[in-house]
DNA sequence: GACAAACGTTCCACTATGGGAAACGATGCC
DNA sequence: GGCATCGTTTCCCATAGTGGAACGTTTGTC
């Protein structure tokens, strides 16, 4: 956190290249001039970075526009397939989606964010703004809160110090003390609940996945339409099935 | 192909960084010393590259090892979701997998390779060495041959000039003239057949997807166990259904 | 059809910057 | 206790990344 001292010793050419890559990702596809304006670097510099990126196979040039290549998908999928949590959770998620009929997510912590790594659809279709691979802040989601609650307190403080607690709906918790109370509740009952805090009309339940050292770097969550996620189903049936699945996964992680 | 003249003007720091990224991808996870040995660069250099990559969020450091972050999955999935072929093919692939019972692949050309972008499972399970996101040469696969056959002749020549035609099984076509004949056959009948040329016991049928300019940058393929892919089913039923689905996709691409 | 604006590309001189040897303390192994 | 290896930091030098300027083309406008 505090070691931005060596940020002076970072390779600036690399940082520029990544700025360009992020720009292309954001723009979808773009020309040299567009990218140059977007990243606010002279076109000569952008030109040679693009040439190197293209030669290395990370971007592709279709007629007159640049776009990211599938190299990212290749590395990303391979990264996931090597993740023990993903490997173990995959099967449990199928039965959980079958039993509950709702969408099941596997979520992994990375820095101060969580990444939605894998999903299994239930029989009830829902539409949300989250897709596989996306990175989100921790506080407005069931899966994120379940992870955040079980971090060491100093790590929680560090994350919240740098977080903005931006509201996504009127239900999003934006007050730090309220959030800390919520995390305490989550620790007591063992699972987190999202009551339309990320999207109106969507509720979810999330539970932490502990690794062999009892650390929480991942979670499982179940998301469904608010009109189905009610009463005992929300606070009893669903959490029970979720915790059962997580228990299976934790066993699988300890005894491979 | 011949413009390696400007490879002198490429940014070497970037090339080193990507060499390191590829090393981590290959090793799965590794320490500084391991990476330094693998890429044959002094550890000082690798150290600062890793620091920059980490700070930029492309790699993560777990305890004492480095590994790729999920940033690659994020960009990769987003890249795919923006691909018009993927967007249109997705639904057609579901019904095709339903109707045939076999695995359906959507494959996209990128440079001299093809990338296996998306798959839908049929009811008959098979196990192959190909997973989503993987890049392969074009010649030993139904999907790859279907793409290769419909490139401009000078592009075919250029690809074959730089390709090794490495055999994957005893059925893999390794002779250039035989392959050129095969491509001619594919152009005549409109689809490609893979007769255990990539994996023993696996057969497949592939058909090119034409874009609005009649160029082929993608294909659809159906893969199944050799004992089910026989006789009229292999040369009549399956190709017919495949070409029907491709036809739908091409219509979807032209009229969005 | 002619002009102007914007594009991608190449050239060049400057100096910022990436490179790597060496030394550092910390850790683990024989 | 000594030797080897690890990750990290420091240092100086020569490389190599930078960006202004000018290039030839293409695009769009009047």
């Amino acid at each position: 956190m505090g070691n931005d001292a060596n940020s002076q010793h970072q390779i600036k050419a690399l940082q520029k290249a990544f700025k360009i890559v992020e720009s292309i990702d954001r723009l979808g596809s773009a020309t040299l001039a567009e990218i140059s304006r977007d990243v606010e670097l002279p076109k000569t510099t952008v030109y040679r970075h693009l040439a190197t990126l293209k030669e290395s196979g990370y971007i592709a040039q279709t007629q007159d526009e640049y776009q990211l290549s599938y190299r990212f998908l290749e590395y990303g999928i391979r990264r996931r397939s090597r993740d023990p949590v993903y490997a173990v959770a995959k099967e449990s998620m199928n039965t959980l989606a079958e039993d509950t009929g709702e969408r099941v997510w596997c979520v992994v912590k990375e820095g101060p964010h969580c990444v939605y790594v894998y999903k299994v659809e239930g029989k009830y279709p829902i539409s949300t703004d989250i897709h596989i691979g996306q990175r989100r802040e921790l506080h407005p989601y069931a899966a994120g809160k379940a992870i955040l609650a079980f971090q060491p307190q100093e790590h929680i403080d560090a994350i919240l110090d740098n977080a903005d607690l931006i509201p996504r709906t009127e239900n999003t918790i934006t007050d730090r003390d309220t959030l800390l109370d919520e995390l305490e509740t989550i620790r007591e009952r063992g699972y987190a609940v999202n009551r339309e805090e990320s999207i109106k009309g969507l509720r979810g339940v999330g539970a932490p996945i502990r690794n062999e050292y009892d650390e929480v770097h991942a979670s499982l969550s179940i998301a469904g339409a608010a009109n189905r996620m009610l009463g005992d189903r929300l606070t009893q049936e669903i959490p029970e099935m979720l915790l059962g699945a997580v228990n299976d996964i934790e066993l699988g992680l300890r005894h491979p």
Side-chain angles (χ1 to χ4, degrees), chain A:
Chain A
M1 293 279 127
N3 57 342
D4 7 51
N6 55 2
S7 60
Q8 300 167 342
H9 280 270
Q10 299 220 338
I11 295 166
K12 298 190 180 173
L14 260 187
Q15 295 176 319
K16 285 180 188 169
F18 290 138
K19 219 172 151 183
I20 291 170
V21 167
E22 281 150 33
S23 169
I24 299 176
D25 169 62
R26 194 164 2 93
L27 299 172
S29 69
T31 64
L32 166 62
E34 286 168 351
I35 299 167
S36 171
R37 277 190 297 268
D38 187 62
V39 300
E40 291 176 312
L41 285 171
K43 58 178 178 175
T44 311
T45 303
V46 176
Y47 176 74
R48 258 183 326 224
H49 277 265
L50 288 174
T52 310
L53 285 163
K54 181 181 156 191
E55 181 71 21
S56 304
Y58 289 85
I59 64 174
Q61 200 174 8
T62 54
Q63 21 202 5
D64 53 351
E65 295 212 318
Y66 293 96
Q67 57 185 110
L68 299 188
S69 83
Y70 275 111
R71 185 71 63 98
F72 291 91
L73 186 65
E74 184 185 1
Y75 289 170
I77 293 279
R78 196 142 53 214
R79 165 69 181 84
R80 183 175 75 175
S81 70
R82 274 196 274 253
D83 197 317
V85 173
Y86 165 75
V88 173
K90 226 177 148 191
E91 303 126 50
S92 308
M93 288 170 67
N94 284 326
T95 61
L96 191 56
E98 186 82 20
D99 294 346
T100 61
E102 309 289 351
R103 181 179 296 172
V104 180
W105 275 108
C106 174
V107 176
V108 169
K109 177 175 180 294
E110 210 166 63
H113 295 108
C114 58
V115 181
Y116 284 75
V117 164
Y118 185 65
K119 77 167 176 220
V120 176
E121 293 293 342
K123 67 175 171 231
Y124 304 119
I126 51 174
S127 62
T128 71
D129 62 332
I130 296 189
H131 303 277
I132 288 181
Q134 285 192 332
R135 205 159 14 112
R136 291 298 160 93
E137 62 273 47
L138 293 164
H139 66 94
Y141 303 94
K145 289 197 290 184
I147 292 175
L148 187 58
F150 290 91
Q151 301 303 308
Q153 187 60 46
E154 73 256 25
H155 194 189
I156 297 179
D157 293 336
I159 290 174
L160 295 185
D161 284 346
N162 293 0
D164 264 347
L165 301 187
I166 318 147
R168 291 196 164 255
T169 73
E170 56 200 28
N171 286 10
T172 310
I173 299 174
T174 54
D175 177 62
R176 182 159 176 160
D177 289 332
T178 314
L179 181 55
L180 289 173
D181 284 348
E182 168 88 351
L183 296 183
E184 179 59 33
T185 310
I186 292 167
R187 276 189 292 269
E188 283 165 12
R189 72 181 168 207
Y191 63 89
V193 178
N194 170 0
R195 297 173 189 270
E196 311 189 41
E197 293 158 42
S198 57
I199 287 191
K200 283 287 288 178
L202 190 85
R203 296 204 184 126
V205 183
I209 299 175
R210 274 169 252 254
N211 68 8
E212 45 184 327
Y213 309 110
D214 262 319
E215 300 161 338
V216 175
H217 294 138
S219 68
L220 228 59
S221 78
I222 296 177
N227 60 353
R228 278 193 316 275
M229 305 284 276
L230 297 166
D232 274 2
R233 185 153 191 271
L234 182 64
T235 55
Q236 291 280 344
E237 292 172 33
I238 298 266
E240 205 167 297
M241 290 190 274
L242 177 62
L243 291 172
V246 166
N247 206 350
D248 285 346
I249 295 170
E250 288 171 347
L251 278 170
L253 286 173
R254 268 162 245 248
H255 309 288

